[in-house]
Amino acid sequence: NIAKDSIIREKIKEFELVKYFLLDQKNPYLDKVVKDFYTKIGLENEEQFEIYLSNYNLTIKKLKKKIEIETLWNQLIYDIYSKQINVDIKSLEKSITENKMSKKNKKYLLSEIIFEKNSNETLADKILKINNSINEIGFKNTANTFSVSDSAKFGGNIGWIAEIDLSKKINKSVKSLKVGETTQPIRINKNYLILKLEEIKEEKVSIKKDDILKRLVASEKNRQLNQFSNIHFSKAKINTFIDEL
């Protein structure tokens, strides 16, 4: 079911992309993305990656096709929606001044599940289904199954996030967690977010307000682009027919 859902999402994106791009073109950027991909899962070179993929009846060529779709999808979302991004710079500057000017900064290793509530179910039923799944098969497998985020491919893993890069709303939820615990669902526009705290570490940082502001602006832009991506995908899904057989 996980594989089928993943293929369906990929096909919907591909059908949408061919309206705007020529696919299967040579793109040196894909080589860099492939390297980032195998480095993220702890491999050292492309030869090791080929062996790793062969265990799943995959090749780098097939993987590059998947990465091409994801890369062009991100480009499409940026091209269409970048002018609609609105970042409140003054609010971010105020946040830095009031809360962030410390000599130490916490970092959280986080995993996420971003889920949608279907029209034929209540939010309570959806949350119960996800919580039961977490208890039965673990957070990573549940992220594979339920999350609509691209991080689902990595069991929801989104890596180390500095406390300073989290919004007030999310930071408040994460700070109350112990390692291994999960947040209550957090409303993110039409979707909901559940975070799991995997690890915590504390680092000494050199505070430079301009650098922090740039990071916060980039983070907010990415957050809004992810929202636009989900919206655009939902529209494309409605207008796409796929024979699952």
Side-chain angles (χ1 to χ4, degrees):
N1 287 333
I2 294 170
K4 183 182 74 173
D5 290 343
S6 177
I7 291 171
I8 289 173
R9 288 181 64 84
E10 185 176 291
K11 285 299 180 183
I12 291 171
K13 289 183 177 181
E14 185 175 0
F15 291 152
E16 182 71 4
L17 287 172
V18 295
K19 301 175 185 176
Y20 304 91
F21 301 101
L22 288 175
L23 303 185
D24 301 318
Q25 302 297 303
K26 288 187 176 180
N27 186 350
Y29 175 70
L30 292 180
D31 294 330
K32 179 183 181 304
V33 178
V34 167
K35 183 176 180 180
D36 291 341
F37 196 101
Y38 66 68
T39 301
K40 188 170 185 177
I41 59 175
L43 301 179
E44 296 181 357
N45 52 54
E46 198 165 293
E47 288 73 23
Q48 290 183 1
F49 197 32
E50 281 279 19
I51 296 171
Y52 174 86
L53 292 174
S54 68
N55 294 326
Y56 302 94
N57 196 30
L58 288 171
T59 64
I60 286 183
K61 182 178 180 180
K62 289 181 181 179
L63 182 65
K64 282 186 176 181
K65 175 69 174 180
K66 293 178 177 291
I67 294 174
E68 179 187 38
I69 289 173
E70 291 301 321
T71 301
L72 291 179
W73 178 264
N74 291 337
Q75 182 179 331
L76 175 65
I77 298 304
Y78 183 83
D79 291 345
I80 294 176
Y81 296 103
S82 59
K83 292 182 180 179
Q84 298 183 40
I85 294 174
N86 182 23
V87 179
D88 188 343
I89 301 295
K90 289 185 178 179
S91 176
L92 294 179
E93 288 177 334
K94 183 179 178 181
S95 175
I96 294 171
T97 301
E98 291 180 350
N99 303 310
K100 307 297 184 179
M101 302 302 288
S102 63
K103 292 183 179 180
K104 290 186 178 181
N105 186 35
K106 285 184 179 179
K107 281 192 171 183
Y108 302 109
L109 181 60
L110 298 172
S111 297
E112 68 176 359
I113 295 172
I114 297 178
F115 67 92
E116 304 169 310
K117 183 187 79 65
N118 299 326
S119 58
N120 61 347
E121 64 184 346
T122 67
L123 177 59
D125 287 342
K126 184 77 172 196
I127 294 171
L128 179 62
K129 190 184 296 183
I130 290 174
N131 285 336
N132 286 340
S133 178
I134 291 172
N135 291 332
E136 291 173 6
I137 63 174
F139 194 93
K140 289 185 178 181
N141 289 328
T142 301
N144 289 147
T145 307
F146 288 96
S147 184
V148 298
S149 172
D150 289 339
S151 64
K153 298 183 182 71
F154 302 100
N157 177 33
I158 53 177
W160 286 99
I161 308 294
E163 180 182 24
I164 196 169
D165 292 333
L166 298 174
S167 69
K168 285 184 179 180
K169 184 178 182 180
I170 293 177
N171 190 28
K172 184 178 179 181
S173 295
V174 171
K175 285 179 73 172
S176 66
L177 298 178
K178 296 178 181 178
V179 172
E181 293 182 340
T182 59
T183 64
Q184 293 296 314
I186 303 167
R187 181 73 180 266
I188 307 292
N189 284 350
K190 294 183 178 180
N191 294 330
Y192 296 86
L193 168 69
I194 297 175
L195 290 169
K196 180 183 179 184
L197 179 58
E198 307 283 0
E199 291 183 46
I200 305 175
K201 64 182 178 182
E202 197 172 72
E203 296 180 344
K204 291 183 178 180
V205 293
S206 176
I207 299 297
K208 293 183 180 179
K209 186 174 179 179
D210 289 344
D211 291 343
I212 295 172
L213 182 60
K214 287 178 183 178
R215 285 165 55 188
L216 291 179
V217 169
S219 178
E220 177 60 18
K221 286 182 176 179
N222 285 334
R223 185 187 69 80
Q224 293 185 31
L225 285 171
N226 285 333
Q227 291 176 354
F228 286 129
S229 176
N230 289 332
I231 291 169
H232 196 88
F233 179 83
S234 295
K235 291 178 180 178
K237 183 177 180 181
I238 291 172
N239 297 317
T240 304
F241 172 78
I242 293 181
D243 185 351
E244 297 184 23
L245 298 180

